[in-house]
Amino acid sequence: MARAPLRFGKGSWVSDHALGLCLINHKRKLYYIHTPKCASMWTRNYLSLLGHNDTADIWEPGNFTVDDTDSYRPFVILRDPYERFLSACPMSDSIESQINNNESDAIFDNFANIIRDEHTAPQVDFLQGLNLNEIEYFYCDNTLSRRLKHFFDCLKFDPAIQAPAKINEHSSSPDYLKAINSWKYLLS
């Protein structure tokens, strides 16, 4: 009998994001835990490349709270919380105007409305119910591609498949840099 997906417990944030979202490779008894704003789009892209030659080696959407994954090896990508927060923060004209008018207090009065979904939730929330000692952790930095490639090579995935190019990297966008600098100013 299938279990219903669990919702996140009494957190400080709200979302329709179900606890336990993951991509599962049943052939290798491996699953990737989806954590928003932690290279998740890039990782899903990479996993789709790894399974494209072998239909038995595909990554399927799943939920570790529902699917029978007790004997499977989980892995997750985590990110510096400050960097993750900044990448999730919007920069609206009203926030910029409040900064320019020295009205920063108004932003913090409404701060809960800005940071109350899965994109800024504590990363550990996505690991609820798992044995933290059994998870393979990867850090989201400029070595992630190389380290994840090594991990998959050790698991005997096709070594010819290279990690994809970075996506969603906004570091050179003037709007992104402006938003980051504004948030850094607010948080300093």
Side-chain angles (χ1 to χ4, degrees):
M1 181 175 194
R3 295 178 281 180
L6 298 175
R7 297 324 247 180
F8 282 93
K10 298 175 184 171
S12 59
W13 55 282
V14 295
S15 173
D16 58 0
H17 191 101
L19 171 64
L21 293 182
C22 62
L23 290 174
I24 303 172
N25 185 310
H26 293 288
K27 177 181 176 182
R28 299 187 187 259
K29 295 192 171 214
L30 184 68
Y31 65 96
Y32 160 66
I33 303 164
H34 174 249
T35 307
K37 306 308 290 177
C38 293
S40 55
M41 287 180 65
W42 177 86
T43 304
R44 289 191 306 264
N45 186 26
Y46 193 2
L47 298 180
S48 72
L49 295 173
L50 290 173
H52 84 283
N53 288 333
D54 182 353
T55 56
D57 205 11
I58 60 171
W59 295 83
E60 300 174 344
N63 187 302
F64 66 75
T65 69
V66 176
D67 297 309
D68 185 15
T69 57
D70 292 343
S71 64
Y72 288 29
R73 182 179 184 183
F75 74 95
V76 66
I77 297 170
L78 300 176
R79 187 174 184 184
D80 175 273
Y82 184 71
E83 288 181 17
R84 182 172 175 256
F85 171 79
L86 289 175
S87 76
C89 284
M91 182 48 61
S92 68
D93 291 336
S94 65
I95 292 174
E96 185 179 359
S97 172
Q98 289 172 327
I99 292 171
N100 292 336
N101 293 327
N102 291 321
E103 298 171 356
S104 299
D105 290 345
I107 295 170
F108 289 105
D109 290 343
N110 295 311
F111 204 59
N113 294 327
I114 297 169
I115 59 162
R116 57 181 205 133
D117 68 9
E118 66 271 16
H119 298 95
T120 54
Q123 294 167 75
V124 71
D125 284 3
F126 298 91
L127 308 176
Q128 289 179 43
L130 296 174
N131 182 337
L132 300 180
N133 295 320
E134 294 177 0
I135 300 171
E136 191 77 34
Y137 297 92
F138 293 91
Y139 186 69
C140 184
D141 65 7
N142 61 359
T143 66
L144 175 62
S145 176
R146 180 180 47 80
R147 288 181 292 108
L148 211 48
K149 168 85 170 109
H150 177 74
F151 176 70
F152 292 131
D153 286 350
C154 289
L155 293 172
K156 309 277 190 251
F157 279 90
D158 183 348
I161 298 173
Q162 297 300 311
K166 293 178 183 177
I167 56 175
N168 278 355
E169 190 170 49
H170 307 288
S171 60
S172 61
S173 159
D175 289 337
Y176 180 77
L177 291 174
K178 181 176 163 184
I180 293 297
N181 287 331
S182 294
W183 279 106
K184 283 181 178 179
Y185 169 78
L186 284 171
L187 297 172
S188 63

